[in-house]
Amino acid sequence: MIEEEGRKGILLLKLIIKKVQTQLQLSQSRRSEQDGGRKENILLPEDVKEGHFAVLAVNNEKPQRFLVELQFLSNPAFLRLLKRAEEEYGFGQKGVLAVPCQPEELQKILQQKIGKEC
């Protein structure tokens, strides 16, 4: 049973990493377009810096958006949120990654030191 949960966790992490990589590729594309002087529709917001991705805390009347460092993909508390998102929304999310939690819960996780166990 533990082995099966480990496999599911690895699958979840791979899918999240793929989504983040896609966002980063869009970011790089946007930067090269800006350098070349071409203006095209940009799918990635300007405030998403390299090494970050957008997350939306949605268990609230007004969802709150956060920019999260890639390093949080190894944070156990953040991974638990991703697992809850998988259970609630599946893997078909497009755009900003939505997680089913209160903004305060996500803020608390993001204030922890990266790599620190919860």
Side-chain angles (χ1 to χ4, degrees):
M1 182 164 185
I2 293 174
E3 188 174 312
E4 183 179 325
E5 288 178 14
R7 287 184 194 157
K8 286 181 182 178
I10 289 171
L11 177 62
L12 173 64
L13 187 56
K14 284 181 180 180
L15 290 170
I16 297 299
I17 289 171
K18 183 173 178 108
K19 184 171 186 159
V20 170
Q21 286 174 332
T22 300
Q23 287 183 343
L24 290 174
Q25 287 171 349
L26 289 172
S27 174
Q28 289 173 346
S29 169
R30 178 186 70 214
R31 287 187 183 106
S32 65
E33 289 170 5
Q34 289 173 346
D35 292 343
R38 292 177 286 165
K39 293 184 180 180
E40 297 181 18
N41 289 338
I42 306 301
L43 299 176
L44 191 64
E46 291 289 328
D47 64 339
V48 179
K49 300 181 289 184
E50 189 171 329
H52 292 74
F53 59 100
V55 174
L56 194 63
V58 295
N59 272 2
N60 198 350
E61 290 179 15
K62 182 178 179 189
Q64 188 171 342
R65 187 171 169 270
F66 294 85
L67 297 180
V68 179
E69 293 180 50
L70 288 175
Q71 296 173 355
F72 276 94
L73 289 173
S74 63
N75 179 293
F78 188 76
L79 290 174
R80 284 191 292 276
L81 279 181
L82 294 179
K83 180 67 177 165
R84 285 176 26 203
E86 172 201 5
E87 292 167 357
E88 183 140 342
Y89 309 120
F91 291 116
Q93 293 189 55
K94 294 185 179 184
V96 175
L97 178 65
V99 292
C101 71
Q102 295 292 330
E104 298 79 19
E105 181 182 356
L106 182 54
Q107 183 67 42
K108 182 179 175 183
I109 291 170
L110 298 178
Q111 288 175 343
Q112 297 172 353
K113 290 187 178 182
I114 296 174
K116 180 181 174 183
E117 286 290 327
C118 305

